[in-house]
Amino acid sequence: MSDRIPFFKHDLGQPELDLLAEVFGGEILTTGDYVRRFEAAFSDYLGAAHTVAVTSCTGALHLSLLGLGLGPGDEVITTPMTFVATAMAILQAGARPVFVDVEPDTGNLDAGLVEAAITDRTRAIMPVHLFGLMCDMKALREIADRHDLKIVEDAAHCIEGSRDGVRPGALSEAACFSFYATKNMTSGEGGAAVTNDAGLAADMRLARLHGMTKTAADRAAEGYSHWDVPAFGWKYNMSNIEAALLLPQFERLERKAAQRQALAARYRDELTGVNGVQLQAEPPGCRHAHHLFPVWVHGIERDAMIGIFREQGVGVVVNYRAVHLTEYFARTFGYKPGDFPEAEKLGDRAISLPFYPGMPDSHVSEVSGIIRNAVD
Ligand SMILES: *Cc1c(COP(=O)(O)O)cnc(C)c1O
């Protein structure tokens, strides 16, 4: 039952197939030269010193926290208006996520509320650039510096974004990205951390493969020599297969960003000023990466709106219902409705509309018309 108006279509094609064929013809399917080339290109794109390519953004967040020395007893301030991976990565590192409510107009972590949540156990802040709109990183950096905290950005939505000239990774210890199936760059599954800290990058590189000093590619290139395990590690290394899918995408990333921008502008033309429909505010100085195009519906129950879309064959999803009210977090940490009212309001009202480069303009008009009729 595919949708008449799909939510998302990937654009992988011949360039990716060609590079994949090259990898198939070579010796190394796992981490090797293609991964190194991808890391160099990603660092270059973001203007960052180091990229560590891994199997997911969740893994990148986890390794970043471990690399910064976080663990049991530590608290990390983050947002409940995010994908559950953000909070899960904090738990995986052994630390505790401490939620802070969001700005009602952007859905981003409210920097003005962060200081009140800082305790003597707080070690880091993990902001999420929701839908591709960057958080106020200058404000967060100031707070972090005042309290001697680290910042790890969940930039899964924000490869192309910036705010006041600041890009992900510029004002933090590390920024983490996802190449999951629907993200702006994709290899189906994949992720990366960028950092300007050479020591942190080296630690993450070790920890992404069992703490081993040599990869299979090193052994193939140099002939067998013994490797050691100087550190504890995990199994998060990206393979040449994913890197081959990612490398050709740099060439069209900026063109696609322009297409996303144009689609978002079209949706905004159709929906701005419609009673009962709230769009994400865009503070001045932002280059929005437009990973998703969300609306928050007030003129109709959200689930009723989803029902109408389903009847009409329009693919939509919800990004996101507030994380603190999911069963595990509510049960484990005792969160309850009312704890983070702005995140809850947005979480009860959110619908992500069909949105991908190459989406026909007629679909934008049709989807917008369906909302306008429904909230009328
Ligand atoms: C997709 C996503 C992640 C997780 O990415 P994976 O690569 O699937 O681990 C983390 N945070 C946010 C905000 C995401 O959208």
Side-chain angles (χ1 to χ4, degrees):
M1 45 154 262
S2 68
D3 288 310
R4 188 170 57 80
I5 297 186
F7 175 69
F8 175 78
K9 281 186 183 179
H10 76 75
D11 72 341
L12 304 191
Q14 202 58 49
E16 287 75 27
L17 281 173
D18 290 346
L19 207 58
L20 205 50
E22 208 182 286
V23 170
F24 284 11
E27 229 181 308
I28 305 292
L29 296 178
T30 180
T31 310
D33 276 342
Y34 295 83
V35 174
R36 262 190 290 280
R37 276 165 57 196
F38 167 72
E39 289 176 333
F42 201 68
S43 296
D44 207 44
Y45 179 77
L46 278 154
H50 310 279
T51 298
V52 180
V54 291
T55 47
S56 69
C57 181
T58 311
L61 293 166
H62 183 195
L63 288 187
S64 298
L65 292 172
L66 294 177
L68 291 167
L70 272 79
D74 296 333
E75 294 178 355
V76 179
I77 289 175
T78 191
T79 167
M81 181 37 60
T82 183
F83 183 52
V84 66
T86 316
M88 276 295 174
I90 296 168
L91 290 172
Q92 286 165 8
R96 180 186 169 138
V98 171
F99 296 117
V100 163
D101 211 353
V102 299
E103 301 168 341
D105 57 345
T106 66
N108 271 337
L109 182 66
D110 190 337
L113 301 177
V114 167
E115 279 191 294
I118 294 175
T119 71
D120 53 8
R121 296 175 163 231
T122 309
R123 297 282 312 282
I125 306 172
M126 187 175 281
V128 178
H129 308 310
L130 193 64
F131 311 130
L133 182 74
M134 258 183 99
C135 295
D136 189 346
M137 287 302 297
K138 287 184 176 171
L140 290 172
R141 185 73 260 173
E142 272 184 34
I143 295 167
D145 287 346
R146 257 202 307 280
H147 298 272
D148 196 21
L149 307 178
K150 313 289 190 191
I151 301 181
V152 176
E153 294 168 79
D154 180 339
H157 298 180
C158 200
I159 298 172
E160 312 91 326
S162 66
R163 181 164 177 165
D164 304 324
V166 175
R167 300 188 63 190
L171 292 183
S172 63
E173 274 65 31
C176 300
F177 300 84
S178 174
F179 311 121
Y180 172 71
T182 57
K183 296 301 201 305
N184 290 14
M185 278 184 98
T186 183
S187 46
E189 300 283 356
V194 307
T195 180
N196 292 319
D197 178 339
L200 178 60
D203 287 348
M204 288 197 282
R205 225 173 274 288
L206 264 184
R208 78 174 163 185
L209 184 59
H210 304 305
M212 291 167 66
T213 49
K214 283 187 195 303
T215 65
D218 295 334
R219 296 196 296 273
E222 302 161 5
Y224 179 84
S225 65
H226 292 309
W227 43 266
D228 203 354
V229 181
F232 176 81
W234 299 74
K235 183 63 168 77
Y236 281 145
N237 55 308
M238 179 184 279
S239 79
N240 273 351
I241 295 174
E242 280 94 39
L245 292 176
L246 291 168
L247 271 166
Q249 295 178 52
F250 287 104
E251 211 203 43
R252 51 184 196 273
L253 199 53
E254 283 302 303
R255 177 158 37 87
K256 283 167 59 182
Q259 288 177 296
R260 288 178 183 280
Q261 183 67 43
L263 274 176
R266 185 167 275 271
Y267 265 128
R268 283 186 171 273
D269 280 351
E270 296 268 3
L271 294 171
T272 297
V274 175
N275 245 333
V277 177
Q278 181 190 350
L279 304 177
Q280 188 183 31
E282 283 187 40
C286 288
R287 187 199 193 209
H288 200 307
H290 291 299
H291 167 52
L292 294 164
F293 194 88
V295 294
W296 293 301
V297 291
H298 298 272
I300 180 173
E301 285 302 313
R302 186 263 310 281
D303 292 354
M305 188 71 241
I306 289 177
I308 292 171
F309 278 130
R310 187 176 300 144
E311 270 167 33
Q312 309 240 7
V314 176
V316 295
V317 302
V318 171
N319 306 95
Y320 301 93
R321 288 151 66 226
V323 171
H324 66 284
L325 296 182
T326 57
E327 189 190 331
Y328 176 79
F329 284 90
R331 187 177 72 230
T332 307
F333 299 102
Y335 288 121
K336 53 193 187 315
D339 285 346
F340 305 104
E342 301 303 341
E344 292 167 26
K345 260 182 252 174
L346 296 177
D348 288 344
R349 295 286 158 198
I351 301 181
S352 295
L353 304 180
F355 190 78
Y356 58 92
M359 176 177 171
D361 289 345
S362 63
H363 286 187
V364 175
S365 307
E366 194 180 334
V367 169
S368 302
I370 293 171
I371 300 183
R372 281 196 307 265
N373 283 334
V375 297
D376 210 8

